[in-house]
Amino acid sequence: MDQLRETLKVHHLRTTTCREDVLSTFINRKNALSHGDLEGELGENYDRVTIYRTLKTFLEKGIIHKVLDDEGLRYALCSHSCSEEKHQHDHIHFKCSACGETNCLENLHIPAVQLPEGYHPEHFNLLIQGVCPKCN
């Protein structure tokens, strides 16, 4: 519980039970989660709008980042180097075709891509699909 409150404090957020519960879910699950995943786990206590607003706030503050996979938008915890001013999440995401989990592979960075003249990248998203070690 102290880690949750400290994370919120570092990101200049007031502690609420919803914020603690959403953050705790990300920490405990360790994989990327969709709004629907969170709603399934926390929906008895919070409505979908409250969960959405919490995700939006966490995105803005650098606590989580967006992960696009073949099922749509998911969210994952940011590394400790993310902040409100700058997200550092140019890493690979892996989606397991057996269990369906999407995970950040923090130690694998997206290879440099030479774009044609005039193109200026703002965000990178690389998704690899296959079988994870748990399912292998």
Side-chain angles (χ1 to χ4, degrees):
M1 197 61 103
D2 288 339
Q3 177 191 4
L4 302 175
R5 290 188 175 141
E6 183 60 27
T7 299
L8 294 172
K9 183 179 176 182
V10 165
H11 288 89
H12 309 290
L13 288 172
R14 191 170 42 90
T15 299
T16 66
T17 55
C18 183
R19 288 175 179 168
E20 286 180 337
D21 289 347
V22 169
L23 188 54
S24 176
T25 303
F26 276 109
I27 291 169
N28 292 331
R29 293 276 299 270
K30 295 180 176 57
N31 58 298
L33 302 171
S34 68
H35 179 271
D37 293 334
L38 290 165
E39 197 175 358
E41 275 201 43
L42 305 172
E44 289 183 17
N45 299 320
Y46 311 105
D47 62 45
R48 64 177 305 147
V49 174
T50 302
I51 294 170
Y52 172 79
R53 287 183 181 146
T54 300
L55 289 171
K56 186 175 185 288
T57 299
F58 283 4
L59 269 172
E60 291 168 354
K61 294 292 186 174
I63 296 173
I64 61 174
H65 64 277
K66 292 180 183 179
V67 177
L68 298 173
D69 70 15
D70 62 336
E71 293 181 23
L73 182 60
R74 296 182 182 275
Y75 305 90
L77 282 176
C78 287
S79 66
H80 299 293
S81 61
C82 287
S83 68
E84 191 171 349
E85 294 81 31
K86 184 159 175 118
H87 277 278
Q88 298 280 45
H89 54 87
D90 294 341
H91 56 264
I92 294 171
H93 298 103
F94 187 92
K95 168 108 186 238
C96 180
S97 56
C99 67
E101 286 188 2
T102 300
N103 291 285
C104 296
L105 302 179
E106 296 280 349
N107 296 330
L108 295 176
H109 296 280
I110 295 175
V113 176
Q114 192 69 5
L115 294 174
E117 189 175 329
Y119 288 88
H120 302 282
E122 292 180 359
H123 302 283
F124 294 91
N125 185 34
L126 179 59
L127 178 70
I128 298 175
Q129 294 178 292
V131 180
C132 73
K134 286 191 317 192
C135 298
N136 210 353

